[in-house]
Amino acid sequence: MVAAMAKVPAAAVAASGLVGGYAVARWTRKRPLGGVALAAAGTAAAYEWNRQAGPRAAVGLTTAYVAAFAGSHPLAKKVGAWPAVFAVAGGMAAASWAVTRRAA
């Protein structure tokens, strides 16, 4: 299973976790279920960040992931829910790519 995860870039996993977590919460109307999806993707991404760039990068990117999730809420009040989620997912993917690309 871990070998299969390594083929999906951590940037894509993190962005998918933010988008997927919101989608699951919205369409099931069960916010905790969306949180499970968000946490699962975040855990998988953190594992890859640690593997690719080390523990300091993993902690920093995990903090950014949580901040992106939290930041999407006030941003949604200004631009709408989906645009906010896509904006923070894009930012998270870019940060992940930038950090892990330098480590390779």
Side-chain angles (χ1 to χ4, degrees):
M1 171 91 169
V2 173
M5 285 179 13
K7 296 179 187 204
V8 178
V13 173
S16 297
L18 290 162
V19 173
Y22 175 68
V24 167
R26 182 174 177 129
W27 288 322
T28 65
R29 298 194 193 311
K30 293 182 178 13
R31 291 180 75 173
L33 195 55
V36 169
L38 179 81
T43 301
Y47 174 83
E48 280 302 306
W49 292 327
N50 185 53
R51 192 181 69 72
Q52 293 174 6
R56 289 182 70 198
V59 168
L61 287 168
T62 300
T63 301
Y65 185 76
V66 173
F69 166 70
S72 69
H73 291 82
L75 183 60
K77 293 180 192 277
K78 296 179 188 249
V79 300
W82 280 112
V85 170
F86 286 129
V88 299
M92 191 63 236
S96 175
W97 178 78
V99 171
T100 58
R101 152 182 91 84
R102 278 190 237 149

